[in-house]
Amino acid sequence: MKIGFVGLGNMGGPMAANLVKAGHEVQGYDPVAPCPEGVTQAASAAGAAMRAEVVITMLPNGAILRSVADEIIPAMAAGAVLCDCSTVDVASARAVAEQAREAGLGALDAPVSGGVGGASAGTLTFMVGGSDASFASVRPLFEVMGQKAVHCGTPGAGQAAKICNNMILGATMAVTCEAFALADKLGLDRARMFDVVSTSSGHSWSMNAYCPAPGVGPQSPADNDYKPGFAAELMLKDLRLSQQAAEAVDADTPMGARAMALYEAFVEQEDGRGRDFSALLPRFAARGRGPTG
Ligand code: NAD
């Protein structure tokens, strides 16, 4: 397939490289990041998009996606599909899909989970919103870049799935970390706590697969001085998107709001920026209850 790829950063670079390895013809554009080997450098985003059957974008946020969409949609060939894999707000995903539809193009929002490791290994999970026809035409590319693609529904449904998942993850990691810090103060050994909880009703991915306590459970960023992994500021971004979406549709999300406030303080006022999101455990362990509890 002829593919345009716009945004070749930490995620987009290895995703584009995997498409080349699978035999696809990829024209790439990024104002900063270099093109991976085998990707032909275009002079602009529009240049990467023209003549492509599918244009993939992997960009930092919704505002940048909207400005890139303004540039590439008029350049795209009739019937081509714009597939945005960035994590952005639901409103931007829907606006860009509508703009593409009006221009006679297909559109998908297809955010990913799996991080930089998954992007390099080609094992991402795609959560996809858009029409059946667009999903069917991009599916072979999802199979190259990932291990699973779930068609979640109409435009915006992929972003909705992503932020709901990550809201659960943020709140679950926060309570797992505070439970370990409480266990410390109660004199309960962390390894014993893991043994019990990982096989009891308090278990979760945060506890069982990504245990925030160093030396306990499987290998995780906690065993590597909390180097990410999944950085706290990326979790904060996703929690903010979840609360923005919740406000827009009047959904009551008190646990998500609390998790967002915690990660906001951790990233912006404490030493959380650049640390893994599980580094809330040493934060809780070093504190008392404080005035707000
Ligand atoms: P990144 O900052 O490494 O890459 C984004 C790239 O977009 C940069 O190289 C930047 O130069 C480029 N860019 C900015 N403006 C542009 C423009 N106008 N035209 C073309 N390119 C432009 O970020 P990343 O880690 O690759 O993340 C990309 C997206 O994937 C984000 O939305 C992020 O939330 C999401 N995501 C990241 C991870 C992760 O672990 N890094 C995991 C899941 C989802």
Side-chain angles (χ1 to χ4, degrees):
M1 245 190 231
K2 284 193 170 61
I3 298 162
F5 209 117
V6 181
L8 298 163
N10 293 323
M11 297 290 290
M15 289 163 72
N18 282 334
L19 292 171
V20 169
K21 273 185 224 144
H24 296 290
E25 197 182 303
V26 184
Q27 296 252 348
Y29 175 73
D30 190 301
V32 180
C35 270
E37 207 181 314
V39 174
T40 310
Q41 169 91 52
S44 64
M50 65 180 59
R51 288 187 292 276
E53 294 155 79
V54 175
V55 178
I56 298 174
T57 48
M58 196 50 170
L59 299 164
N61 59 47
I64 293 176
L65 169 65
R66 286 179 192 243
S67 84
V68 167
D70 285 342
E71 205 187 322
I72 62 180
I73 286 175
M76 285 173 66
V81 180
L82 172 55
C83 175
D84 177 48
C85 294
S86 330
T87 304
V88 303
D89 56 290
V90 176
S92 292
R94 291 195 172 136
V96 167
E98 179 55 20
Q99 195 180 344
R101 195 190 60 77
E102 283 168 4
L105 303 170
L108 297 173
D109 53 293
V112 302
S113 90
V116 177
S120 300
T123 56
L124 294 169
T125 295
F126 291 86
M127 296 150 251
V128 190
S131 72
D132 289 342
S134 296
F135 182 70
S137 53
V138 181
R139 185 175 218 151
L141 307 184
F142 293 142
E143 280 165 8
V144 170
M145 297 183 288
Q147 62 184 352
K148 187 169 182 185
V150 180
H151 190 193
C152 298
T154 54
Q159 297 295 347
K162 167 86 188 176
I163 58 176
C164 287
N165 180 73
N166 280 21
M167 186 174 81
I168 294 170
L169 175 62
T172 308
M173 181 56 84
V175 75
T176 303
C177 290
E178 70 186 25
F180 269 116
L182 171 61
D184 290 347
K185 293 195 176 180
L186 295 172
L188 168 61
D189 178 70
R190 288 180 172 186
R192 298 289 176 277
M193 155 109 160
F194 175 84
D195 269 358
V196 172
V197 175
S198 64
T199 52
S200 298
S201 46
H203 79 273
S204 67
W205 184 87
S206 296
M207 175 62 85
N208 291 39
Y210 206 96
C211 181
V216 177
Q219 280 284 313
S220 71
D223 299 306
N224 190 25
D225 202 22
Y226 295 100
K227 292 193 180 69
F230 185 44
E233 60 270 25
L234 292 178
M235 174 48 82
L236 175 58
K237 172 190 169 179
D238 294 355
L239 286 167
R240 281 179 168 149
L241 290 174
S242 75
Q243 296 315 290
Q244 191 182 333
E247 266 172 37
V249 297
D250 191 28
D252 190 18
T253 53
M255 304 304 288
R258 191 72 182 98
M260 184 190 79
L262 262 174
Y263 277 101
E264 210 159 57
F266 188 50
V267 168
E268 292 183 349
Q269 291 150 37
E270 300 165 15
D271 64 346
R273 187 175 294 279
R275 306 188 79 196
D276 189 72
F277 82 119
S278 62
L280 280 186
L281 171 50
R283 174 201 186 268
F284 283 125
R287 293 162 61 98
R289 198 163 166 75
T292 53

